Amino acid sequence: LAGNSRYNPQGPVPALTQAVVVGIAVDLNERKIWFASDGHWDSDPTFGPDEFLAGLALYPAVSLRGRAAFHFGPSLQHPPSAELGVFGPWPGAAEGALRVDVPHIGNSETLSIYKEVQVHGEVSLKRHVQRLVASRKYLDMPKTQRSWAIQVKGSGKCDGTYRRAGAHCDFPLYRNSTAGSSATIFFDSEAMVWRMSTTSDLSNAFCFAPAQEGCAEPPRRGWRLPDDEQGVMSAGIIRAALAGLKIQSEIVQQVLAPLTNCSATGDNEEVVYRVHGEATLEEQWKMLGDGVSATADETWDSAISEVQKRMLKEAGLPDEAMVVETRHPYEATRHTWRKEVRCEGAAGLAVYFCSRSCTLDCRARLRIYIGGLRRGEAGVGARVEVSATRDGGKVWGTVVDRDHNGGIWRVLLDRRAPPEPAEATKEASEADWPHLGDEVSALFASGAGNWYDAVIAEVKGDGTFLVDWSDGDSRDRTKTREQIRRRGASEVGAQRVLEDMERYASVPSSDADCFCVCMEDPKPVNVLYSKSKGVIDEQGYVSSTVGDEIASFVLDRSCPLSPFAIGCFSGRGPAQEQGVATGWFLDLVATVHGPSGGKVKEVLKGIGGSDSTATKAIIDAAFNNIEETHSRLNGTFRTLSEITLVFTTSSSPSNVSLLPEARAVYGASSKVGDEIRALGFAEGKILVQGFTTKGPAHQAGVRSGWALDVGRTLALNKTLTDFPAAEAIQSEPSVMLKLIGVTLAFFQPDPTPKLRFLGMGTAGLSRWGSFALPGDAAEFEFSTDGDGTSTNTEQRWGIWALVLPLSVPAASSGDASGCTDEVTVIVEKAEGMTLGTNLDSSNRSSLFIKTMTAGLLEDWNKENPDKMVRVCDFIVQVGCIRDDVDKMLQLLGGSGTITLVVKRSPKPTCAKGHELRRMPGSFCCGICNQYTCEAAGCTECCFPLCVPCFSRPRESLPPVLPDLDAFERRYTETTQRAKGNRERPEVERESWDEQRLRALCARHGWDFEWMTEEGERRRRARERQGTWTLPRSPTSPTALAAAAAALTELAPAPAVAADHPDGAVPTPRETPRGEDLPPTAAGASAIAPLPV
């Protein structure tokens, strides 16, 4: 690990089987460096003053093949021991983990991979390279030292690296070097073509390419795949897809005739090929002309979706069933995709992964999110926040109408109800509240909007209060009266009403309902009235004043945010030329703040008796005296010229914001239970557990997993004498289903999407398996950093998940009601086989399962889903041995029939069985090995878990199909056959030579030349003349690293320490992907700023 002192670079390269944290401690004064592996520090320095010379500049760098990250402290997972001294963080280093991903040195498939990575000076070849100056060793290399291997990409079945394995027809014969593959490339002298075969049988060729004259190697391009490898499906399905586009059957027949044939499988089924001989679907599609609404690709993809739906239906699965999957294998390039899964009205979702699901490593992962607000679902009854124009504040309201096509929201604004007589007395008593020792709810972090329980610890003389938080937090304890309320008031308090905005509060008449109209994409229009820009009417008159075009402005006091609109036009003008129509709002605030604000303020000056000349005061006076303002707009204002007015179709300058609330109004004959299937308790809330039909709640955006807001519901129905009391609702939520003609209030417990599952790494039911999700919707997100090569297809197979609706709600996190306390596991262990577990024996009475990989226990889980063994379970007995971990481990190391007794944990624990609690700080998860800032764990045993691992369900679902894996294979094969391979095979030499180097330069637009001494001298002279050095910012990562290096040269510096944890969190940087240089040439061609 410490350079050449640890292994022979000429020998076999050692490979790590698990993540290792390498610690480095540097004493700059004593010139000593210590190393550590997983916290085991060397007692003696690896490098001393003899190797660490005085004045030597240091910078953090690593050269490796694999994954790592730099972490410079101050919080290190394994800090140096006290015996070594006191160490601080590296001077000027960035915080957090800095990723270093180098899966394949000299990789020709990824452009951002480098042989050596310097934390402060990464080089992007795609952005910084202009020419490739290659070492002449690639030109002068003797043939005996060249690699004659070739690489195949884009062929599908035959992808991989091929090495010469003999000769055929006096030409080289190549065999795939991937384990388990016998694919072959050979020359056919009769047809004068090169062929690829998926097996060693040369009579069964897969694809071919014409030979190049005078060349004894396979051609790079021009390979032709078989027709059935480029997409084929049942003729009936593709004809139905074309019929759905309203294309006549005769034309459909003409388009598909050249592509139709009988299936090659021997069942005489009529099929349609995407490519058949010289005919292609794209060429045939041109016969349809421009009148077709879909392209050839879109139609073919829709037919593939129909094929998949039929397979699910034939398997007996419900109509809502769907499959979420990656490509198999997924691409070895950086990419991310998201897919929303929804089963309308379902109480929950069941997710089943096939046993082949896997990713290359922890940097390719699948996340599943639940909860969150979805804009497309909000309708009548949804609660929103509306921003008033400019500096007018915000107000809440309820959607009363929404036009999804036109993007129009009509919102009923919240107003403060006048206090009732009894409430007036209550308000008087509230003036003296709270008192010392009162239990209250207080707003934490000021305007963050989160209320928590607290107790009044002190009543201060300035009118503020000091609170003690119930959870013991010592922050943000001083509160104003507005930041304190009675406990339980959260359900009916904390809302923004129109009366809170003084400017608009006086616009409406008394307590009448007020509305606003908001557009999904508001676009104001600035209109200039000027003689030079005026519109000439039929009589030759130029409209130069506002009144020449606008006959009147109308006032609507029920729309206080935008009370003025165009009533009618008197003639043509610039507003109509820009699309403004009758009913458009005059944005008075924006007009006053616009380029003609001075003229508008002159019109409004003195309104309401105000003598202020301040812009805000004039606008406030205009809205507080709305009738007088209306009169002036239709008077003096219409005579103005050389003025710019702002018109809009929206009462708000921005989109409405969704609130995590909704109101469902049931009519006099509508019963709640006719829409909502069930209400039940979960996690202390009354949750919606499915829908029977779509009604007011569903229209408002309420879905399974939303909670009933009891407090608001009682407030909204206080005039109903027979409405159930809060205690009755809490004790029996189903009483609400019997109510008729009521208004219910709901809220979303998780307004932001919540990560519920994180899957990555090798295949196995302990990592993937099956589980249930609450609610009727979830978002699947797959991401990979692009590491990997074209040969590791099995490790990059990807994920395949079957998602089904549940009629009953999913169990809450950590619920293991189906678990028995202990299960007996019997496995047959042959020589060389393993259980596939990482065991912890620290409690000395049982074996704690920390992690699981492929092995005997994974096989057991697959065959016994009702008796699954999971991470955080305990092996309490092996054979007849209990309470003796040494003997138990000895028996597990043997072979033959092994009987285990496993105690299953209903919730994750540490090795000593301690309950896991929230842990502040950053940690490396004990299961998935990912760094997390939000962990649950045991500080005593140092066993933290990230949220996804902690909340992962402990029990699997019952099987949905007799053999899910068999169905997955049929589904995948049928889908792959229908999609086909739309890439073109390419053959490249594995080694770098002039041909490949020039092809690389042609692809990226680089200049190319061979490196010569004279050429380098001229080039450096030109660069000195044509470049200069800019001063670097002292806060830039490059400057900080350079400053850190300079410390060793200029002055003594304190000792430093750093961790290098493998598998840490990803770097926030994004680097482009493409094609890399050969290792030697890269160093000669990368022109980028590096530390001095």
Side-chain angles (χ1 to χ4, degrees), residues 10-83:
Q10 302 302 324
V13 179
L16 299 177
T17 59
Q18 62 183 18
V20 175
V21 179
V22 179
I24 302 177
V26 183
D27 190 328
L28 299 178
N29 293 326
E30 298 294 330
R31 306 203 311 274
K32 296 179 181 179
I33 302 178
W34 291 264
F35 288 85
S37 291
D38 286 336
H40 301 289
W41 287 89
D42 296 337
S43 57
D44 297 324
T46 306
F47 295 98
D50 294 337
E51 298 90 359
F52 189 175
L53 303 178
L56 182 68
L58 298 180
Y59 63 87
V62 63
S63 181
L64 81 161
R65 173 177 176 176
R67 299 178 175 281
F70 284 88
H71 200 290
F72 296 96
S75 299
L76 301 178
Q77 187 173 356
H78 301 295
S81 60
E83 290 78 8

Side-chain angles (χ1 to χ4, degrees), residues 118-137:
Q118 299 177 11
V119 173
H120 54 275
E122 282 201 16
V123 180
S124 170
L125 302 183
K126 200 165 190 176
R127 292 195 302 266
H128 301 153
V129 172
Q130 295 179 350
R131 79 176 64 87
L132 172 62
V133 183
S135 171
R136 291 190 62 86
K137 77 173 188 177

Side-chain angles (χ1 to χ4, degrees), residues 82 105 152 159 231 358 482 488 618 647 672 689 777-778 897 1019 1037:
I105 295 177
V152 177
D159 283 1
C358 67
E482 291 73 19
I618 291 177
F647 296 97
V672 176
Q689 298 177 344
T897 302
R1019 180 162 37 259

Side-chain angles (χ1 to χ4, degrees), residues 15 128 354 589 602 689 735 845 879 902-903 949 983 1001:
H128 301 153
C354 74
V589 177
E602 283 297 322
Q689 298 177 344
V735 69
S845 62
V902 179
K903 181 178 180 180
C949 289
E983 298 183 42
C1001 292

Side-chain angles (χ1 to χ4, degrees), residues 59-247:
Y59 63 87
V62 63
S63 181
L64 81 161
R65 173 177 176 176
R67 299 178 175 281
F70 284 88
H71 200 290
F72 296 96
S75 299
L76 301 178
Q77 187 173 356
H78 301 295
S81 60
E83 290 78 8
L84 302 183
V86 179
F87 293 84
W90 188 275
E95 296 182 359
L98 302 177
R99 289 290 310 172
V100 176
D101 293 340
V102 189
H104 189 81
I105 295 177
N107 189 0
S108 63
E109 297 176 3
T110 52
L111 190 61
S112 62
I113 303 303
Y114 321 107
K115 184 176 181 179
E116 183 181 84
V117 178
Q118 299 177 11
V119 173
H120 54 275
E122 282 201 16
V123 180
S124 170
L125 302 183
K126 200 165 190 176
R127 292 195 302 266
H128 301 153
V129 172
Q130 295 179 350
R131 79 176 64 87
L132 172 62
V133 183
S135 171
R136 291 190 62 86
K137 77 173 188 177
Y138 294 104
L139 181 64
D140 303 331
M141 183 184 296
K143 292 185 178 180
T144 55
Q145 297 181 11
R146 293 183 181 178
S147 170
W148 299 99
I150 59 177
Q151 292 179 340
V152 177
K153 297 183 294 184
S155 69
K157 295 180 180 179
C158 292
D159 283 1
T161 300
Y162 289 75
R163 304 193 184 280
R164 288 192 176 184
H168 180 73
C169 297
D170 297 328
F171 280 78
L173 182 140
Y174 300 85
R175 286 276 167 79
N176 196 317
S177 60
T178 306
S181 175
S182 58
T184 308
I185 300 178
F186 61 96
F187 181 73
D188 184 347
S189 58
E190 295 184 3
M192 296 301 293
V193 296
W194 284 88
R195 299 188 185 276
M196 291 186 193
S197 174
T198 56
T199 66
S200 57
D201 183 6
L202 304 188
S203 63
N204 185 18
F206 175 69
C207 62
F208 67 92
Q212 295 179 344
E213 186 176 354
C215 181
E217 295 181 351
R220 181 177 181 180
R221 293 187 175 89
W223 292 87
R224 173 68 183 270
L225 291 170
D227 292 348
D228 56 0
E229 289 293 325
Q230 300 182 67
V232 57
M233 70 173 64
S234 170
I237 294 178
I238 189 66
R239 283 172 182 162
L242 287 169
L245 298 175
K246 310 298 183 184
I247 301 175

Side-chain angles (χ1 to χ4, degrees), residues 716-777:
L716 293 171
N717 297 275
K718 60 184 179 181
T719 59
L720 301 180
T721 57
D722 56 347
F723 199 84
E727 295 77 9
I729 299 174
Q730 296 286 353
S731 61
E732 186 55 52
S734 61
V735 69
M736 302 297 295
L737 303 178
K738 304 175 183 178
L739 300 181
I740 299 175
V742 297
T743 300
L744 302 186
F746 299 91
F747 67 94
Q748 168 59 277
D750 299 310
T752 57
K754 181 179 180 182
L755 181 62
R756 189 60 181 264
F757 174 83
L758 176 64
M760 56 192 166
T762 58
L765 293 179
S766 63
R767 291 178 179 266
W768 306 92
S770 61
F771 51 87
L773 298 172
D776 64 353

Side-chain angles (χ1 to χ4, degrees), residues 562-621:
S562 51
F564 303 111
I566 297 176
C568 59
F569 291 106
S570 56
R572 295 176 56 197
Q576 296 172 81
E577 290 289 326
Q578 294 181 244
V580 178
T582 302
W584 277 51
F585 301 120
L586 170 66
D587 192 337
L588 186 61
V589 177
T591 299
V592 173
H593 285 282
S596 303
K599 290 187 176 182
V600 180
K601 285 192 288 185
E602 283 297 322
V603 174
L604 301 177
K605 187 176 180 179
I607 197 168
S610 174
D611 57 357
S612 175
T613 58
T615 301
K616 182 179 183 303
I618 291 177
I619 296 175
D620 290 342

